[in-house]
């Protein structure tokens, strides 16, 4: 088995990154985490990745100012240099332009803390509580140029309980995230889910 070389892109604590690293330790896992890449030099996840013996890189977006494409070219160069096959966005807090997204079409996944297409964007737990939904969840999807859209690879939900706060709900959803992201990456790395197949399934 040739394991796919995966880069995990983070901006913060990297708990999803850790879930992927731990899953990839299984001998039969079809992917290895070859690189953790952050746009934030101080992201806590970088230290955790280094502890696990994984190569890390920082591409700080600030020096590029408003030139998003130049930032993305630097990201892409780092991915190419590390011979990356698949990219997992995991709390990566930069919007990507169609340039990079198209380049990695079918090879870039994102995790979103809601049951897409519900609650795209930020503050999903607050909005779920305000909306009074009975179930809330998380989604792994292929990345498309439009934010938080794209064919779904994996999705699961938990009940919203009476008395839930943003924090208690976020913690319950995070458990879902840590379960479905490694499952989704496995499906894509094994070629059992492709962009074309996920597109057909999402359309129904
Ligand atoms: C997660 O809730 C993820 O769904 C969202 O950002 C958060 C990142 O958390 N996109 P972590 O850095 O993986 O702990």
């Amino acid at each position: 088995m040739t394991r796919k070389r995966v880069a995990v892109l983070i901006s913060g604590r990297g708990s999803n990154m850790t879930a992927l690293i731990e899953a990839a330790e299984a001998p039969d896992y079809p992917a290895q985490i070859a690189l953790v890449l952050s746009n934030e030099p101080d992201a806590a996840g970088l230290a955790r990745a280094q502890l696990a013996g994984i190569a890390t890189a920082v591409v700080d977006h600030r020096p590029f100012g408003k030139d998003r494409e130049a930032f993305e070219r630097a990201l892409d160069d780092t991915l190419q240099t590390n011979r990356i096959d698949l990219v997992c966005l995991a709390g990566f807090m930069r919007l990507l332009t169609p340039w990079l997204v198209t380049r990695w079409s079918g090879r870039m996944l994102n995790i979103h803390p809601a049951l897409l297409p519900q609650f795209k964007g930020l503050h999903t737990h607050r909005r779920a509580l305000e909306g009074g939904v009975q179930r809330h969840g998380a989604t792994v999807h292929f990345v498309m140029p439009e934010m938080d859209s794209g064919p779904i690879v994996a999705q699961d939900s938990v009940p919203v309980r009476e008395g839930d706060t943003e924090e208690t709900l976020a913690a319950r959803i995070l458990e879902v995230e840590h379960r479905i992201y490694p499952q989704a990456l496995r499906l894509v790395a094994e070629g059992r889910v492709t962009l074309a197949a996920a597109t057909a399934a999402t359309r129904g």
Side-chain angles (χ1 to χ4, degrees), residues 91-124:
F92 186 67
M93 300 305 284
R94 304 300 299 168
L95 286 177
L96 298 174
T97 73
W99 183 81
L100 190 72
V101 171
T102 307
R103 237 174 140 73
W104 287 87
S105 177
R107 297 183 295 146
M108 184 183 272
L109 299 175
N110 180 45
I111 185 144
H112 182 72
L115 286 174
L116 290 174
Q118 267 189 331
F119 306 125
K120 296 179 180 182
L122 296 173
H123 310 300
T124 55

Side-chain angles (χ1 to χ4, degrees), residues 12-17 90-91 93 110-113 125 174 177-178:
R13 67 187 164 180
S15 71
N16 278 289
M17 171 207 77
M93 300 305 284
N110 180 45
I111 185 144
H112 182 72
H125 309 312
L174 206 54
E177 296 185 37
H178 296 167

Side-chain angles (χ1 to χ4, degrees), residues 59-115:
V59 180
D60 191 338
H61 58 280
R62 292 171 194 90
F64 297 96
K66 290 200 170 124
D67 193 348
R68 282 184 186 269
E69 243 182 71
F71 166 62
E72 292 183 358
R73 274 196 297 276
L75 285 180
D76 192 56
D77 284 349
T78 310
L79 297 173
Q80 303 297 346
T81 307
N82 285 276
R83 292 173 288 112
I84 297 303
D85 301 307
L86 296 169
V87 174
C88 289
L89 306 181
F92 186 67
M93 300 305 284
R94 304 300 299 168
L95 286 177
L96 298 174
T97 73
W99 183 81
L100 190 72
V101 171
T102 307
R103 237 174 140 73
W104 287 87
S105 177
R107 297 183 295 146
M108 184 183 272
L109 299 175
N110 180 45
I111 185 144
H112 182 72
L115 286 174

Side-chain angles (χ1 to χ4, degrees), residues 171-182:
R172 202 170 318 121
I173 298 298
L174 206 54
E175 287 175 19
V176 175
E177 296 185 37
H178 296 167
R179 181 158 39 80
I180 67 171
Y181 214 169

